[in-house]
Amino acid sequence: MKLTILSKNEIETLHLGILQTFEETGVKIYSKKAIEIMRGAGAEVDEKTFHVKIPSYLVEECIKNAPKYVHLYDRNSKQQLKLEKDNFYTVLASTTPKVIDPETFQRVQGKKEYIAKAAKIVDALPNIHIAAQFCLALDCPPEVQELHELEAVFMNTVKPVMAIAYSPQGARKIIEMAAIIKGGIDKLKKEPLLFIYTEPTSPLEYSNKAMNILIETVKLGIPVLSAPCTQAGATGPVTLAGTLIQSFVESLTGLIIAQLIKKGAPTIIGEVSTIMDMRTAVMSYGAPEFSVINAASSQLAHYYELPFFGTGGCSDSKLPDGQAIAEAVISLFSAMLSRTNLIHDVGYIEGAMTGSLEMVIIIDEFFSMLNRIIKGMKVNEKTIALDVINAVGPGGHYLSHKHTLKFLLEEHWMPSLIDRRRYEFWKAENAKDMLTRAREKLQKILKEHESEPLPEEIKQKLTNVIREESDY
C-alpha cells in the first residue's frame, strides 16, 4: 500500500523547474567558504551579494554523486536504521521552547530535565526510532546549551540521535561527544550514532551559520541533513507545487555543497514545508496541505534516489486532545504511505511551539496500528485457509483450531493503549479515556524504565567536553 501524488510527467516538470530556478534565480549563500567552493565548481558567483547561480549539469552531477542511502546505528551497534528506499522511521520532536510537564501536565518552559525524560521515553518505546533535543534547555548557559541538551539525550537512550547545533563550534563538540561514546571518530564515521540538522532560510537563502555547520559536519564525515521550513503564501509561493520547487532548491543547495566538499558525503535532503494560515499568520502543522507537500516531496526524493526527511505526528492544537490526535495521525499515515524515510516532529503541538510526551506515547501506538494497515493482506494457500474452513464447517468455530494459534499474532494487531474491552470492564476500571491512559503509561515508563547507563568514564569525558567549552 503506497500513496502516490505525482505522475511521471509532473515529476519531470518539477525537476525541470528546480534546475531552472538554480540557473536563472539562484540562491544566496552567506558563507565565504561555500562561495569559494561554488566558484571552484563552476557556479556563477557574485561575491558582493553572495548570490550564486548553479548550472543544471552541476546540480544533476551532485545528486548523482550523493549516496543512495544513509545508515544509522545505536550506541551499541546492535540496531541499524537503513534510510533508503521504502523504509520509514520516526524522529522525536525537537527544540520546542515549551513542554507539557509530565507530572503536572501544565505548559512550562523547556529545561534540560525534560530532554532527559523525553530521551528515556524514546528509549522505552518500540516505534519511536530516533531521539532528539525534545525542547530547549533554557535553564543552561547559552554558550554551551546545545552540549547540555545532547548530554541529556546521550545519557538516557541508546537509540540514534538527530542533533541540532547552534554554531559550527557546537557541531564539532557534539560530534566529539558522539565519538567518545562510539569509541573514536573513525568508529563514529563507520557507524553513525547521529546526523546533524541544518536549515536553509526561505526564500532561497543559506545563512553563514547554518552553512558553516553543514561544512564542518561534512568535513568530519558525519551525515548531514538540509531541510527548509517554507511557508506557502509567505516565504514560498502560495501554490503547493511552487513551494515544493523552492523547498527542493533550498534543500539541494546543502546537498550540492556537501558533495562538492566530498564526493559521496552522507547527505539527507528534506523539508518541513507547509502553508501559512492567512487568518492567523501561523505556520500550520495540522494543515492537509502539509501532508500533500510532504508526500509529493517524498516521491520526488525517491525519484532522485535520495534519503528523505519529512514530517508527521504533529498538530496545531494547544492540548493533546481530539484535534491533536486527528491531525497527528493523518500526517503520520500520509508520511508512512509516501515512504518518508525519516518522519520528524512526533510530539509537536501548538504548531511546534510545545512538546507533548503524551502525544509521543499516543503516536507510538498509532504508528504500530498504521503499520499493520500498510502491511496489508497475504493471499496464499495457507492464508485463504480453505482446508480449515472445510474442517470447521457450518456451525463450528475456529477458537481452538491450530490454524488460529499459528497465525493469530501474525495476522491480528494487538493494541497496548487503545481500549477494546466491553463497557462494563472499562467502567469498572474508572472509565479512563485515551489521554488518561497515555499519561499513566508515560509516568509508568518514567518511574520504571531503566535506560542502559553510559560507563562512568564516558560520562566524565562528556562532562569534560562541556566544562572545557564553558571555560573557553
Side-chain angles (χ1 to χ4, degrees):
M1 187 183 299
K2 200 169 182 179
L3 176 62
T4 300
I5 296 283
L6 306 169
S7 68
K8 289 184 179 179
N9 287 339
E10 288 171 334
I11 288 175
E12 188 63 24
T13 298
L14 292 169
H15 174 58
L16 293 175
I18 289 166
L19 296 180
Q20 182 174 331
T21 304
F22 268 122
E23 277 201 354
E24 297 184 5
T25 308
V27 294
K28 285 194 173 183
I29 307 173
Y30 297 97
S31 161
K32 291 182 179 178
K33 295 177 184 176
I35 288 286
E36 286 306 312
I37 291 169
M38 284 291 192
R39 185 202 307 283
E44 180 183 332
V45 173
D46 184 331
E47 285 187 5
K48 292 182 180 178
T49 62
F50 298 95
H51 200 169
V52 180
K53 294 182 179 179
I54 307 174
S56 295
Y57 76 85
L58 185 57
V59 176
E60 292 188 314
E61 181 181 331
C62 288
I63 292 174
K64 183 180 177 182
N65 290 339
K68 309 307 179 194
Y69 62 86
V70 170
H71 291 179
L72 299 173
Y73 295 78
D74 69 8
R75 185 199 296 167
N76 302 318
S77 307
K78 293 178 180 176
Q79 185 183 22
Q80 183 181 12
L81 304 183
K82 300 179 178 181
L83 313 184
E84 58 182 317
K85 300 179 181 176
D86 284 349
N87 298 336
F88 49 83
Y89 306 97
T90 56
V91 186
L92 185 68
S94 55
T95 60
T96 59
K98 302 287 186 179
V99 295
I100 304 295
D101 184 288
E103 298 296 331
T104 66
F105 301 109
Q106 298 297 306
R107 179 176 176 270
V108 297
Q109 183 169 276
K111 294 181 180 177
K112 185 176 182 180
E113 67 173 272
Y114 296 126
I115 299 173
K117 289 177 178 176
K120 191 173 183 178
I121 293 296
V122 171
D123 196 70
L125 295 176
N127 301 305
I128 308 299
H129 306 101
I130 297 176
Q133 299 135 276
F134 187 57
C135 61
L136 298 171
L138 296 172
D139 56 334
C140 295
E143 63 273 16
V144 287
Q145 181 180 319
E146 70 256 67
L147 303 187
H148 278 285
E149 291 172 355
L150 266 301
E151 181 191 40
V153 177
F154 289 140
M155 298 267 280
N156 288 282
T157 183
V158 299
K159 290 185 177 180
V161 173
M162 180 186 81
I164 298 178
Y166 306 140
S167 68
Q169 175 68 2
R172 283 192 290 273
K173 290 297 176 181
I174 289 170
I175 292 169
E176 181 181 337
M177 293 168 79
I180 290 170
I181 293 169
K182 288 294 287 187
I185 187 67
D186 290 337
K187 183 74 177 295
L188 181 65
K189 287 193 288 187
K190 184 179 180 183
E191 297 180 356
L193 174 63
L194 80 171
F195 64 94
I196 300 286
Y197 177 102
T198 68
E199 184 176 313
T201 306
S202 300
L204 300 171
E205 295 184 315
Y206 232 115
S207 71
N208 180 53
K209 184 173 74 175
M211 180 53 72
N212 288 340
I213 289 172
L214 183 146
I215 291 172
E216 289 300 321
T217 303
V218 172
K219 286 182 176 178
L220 289 169
I222 302 304
V224 68
L225 163 69
S226 173
C229 296
T230 311
Q231 299 181 61
T235 58
V238 73
T239 52
L240 306 191
T243 284
L244 185 150
I245 285 177
Q246 183 187 297
S247 297
F248 264 73
V249 169
E250 293 162 351
S251 181
L252 287 171
T253 297
L255 177 140
I256 291 166
I257 289 290
Q259 297 310 311
L260 291 176
I261 294 170
K262 185 178 181 182
K263 183 178 175 180
T267 314
I268 305 165
I269 64 165
E271 48 86 1
V272 190
S273 298
T274 181
I275 62 164
M276 188 188 80
D277 186 300
M278 293 295 180
R279 297 170 300 176
T280 61
V282 165
M283 177 179 173
S284 176
Y285 275 73
E289 296 85 357
F290 199 10
S291 293
V292 175
I293 295 171
N294 183 83
S297 298
S298 182
Q299 198 177 341
L300 185 57
H302 284 296
Y303 168 76
Y304 290 140
E305 297 184 279
L306 296 172
F308 178 68
F309 170 101
T311 310
C314 46
S315 170
D316 293 324
S317 180
K318 315 306 172 286
L319 303 167
D321 58 3
Q323 176 188 336
I325 294 173
E327 291 178 342
V329 170
I330 289 171
S331 61
L332 176 69
F333 198 30
S334 171
M336 294 168 73
L337 285 172
S338 61
R339 302 300 190 268
T340 298
N341 299 123
L342 288 172
I343 305 171
H344 172 244
D345 295 346
V346 172
Y348 271 169
I349 59 173
E350 197 193 339
M353 297 302 291
T354 298
S356 163
L357 289 175
E358 304 111 297
M359 285 300 296
V360 176
I361 296 286
I362 291 170
I363 290 300
D364 176 77
E365 176 87 345
F366 276 102
F367 181 93
S368 174
M369 185 181 195
L370 299 173
N371 214 17
R372 175 62 191 93
I373 296 172
I374 290 173
K375 187 178 173 184
M377 179 189 292
K378 286 183 180 177
V379 179
N380 55 45
E381 185 178 351
K382 292 181 179 178
T383 61
I384 63 175
L386 296 182
D387 55 334
V388 180
I389 296 170
N390 185 52
V392 172
H397 69 79
Y398 298 86
L399 289 172
S400 59
H401 200 285
K402 62 181 181 181
H403 183 268
T404 303
L405 180 62
K406 182 176 181 180
F407 287 99
L408 176 64
L409 295 181
E410 184 179 332
E411 292 276 316
H412 294 201
W413 177 73
M414 298 293 174
S416 62
L417 189 64
I418 287 173
D419 191 309
R420 291 174 174 171
R421 293 173 297 170
R422 296 189 185 282
Y423 182 87
E424 293 75 15
F425 295 107
W426 172 75
K427 184 72 174 177
E429 293 189 10
N430 300 320
K432 298 170 185 172
D433 61 12
M434 175 171 259
L435 179 57
T436 301
R437 297 193 298 274
R439 286 176 168 173
E440 288 182 351
K441 183 173 181 179
L442 167 60
Q443 292 182 330
K444 181 179 173 63
I445 291 173
L446 290 177
K447 183 178 180 181
E448 298 180 1
H449 180 72
E450 295 290 338
S451 305
E452 183 180 322
L454 282 168
E456 288 301 320
E457 65 270 24
I458 299 295
K459 289 182 184 177
Q460 187 58 52
K461 287 181 179 179
L462 298 185
T463 301
N464 291 343
V465 171
I466 298 175
R467 184 179 297 132
E468 289 167 7
E469 198 63 12
S470 299
D471 296 338
Y472 180 71

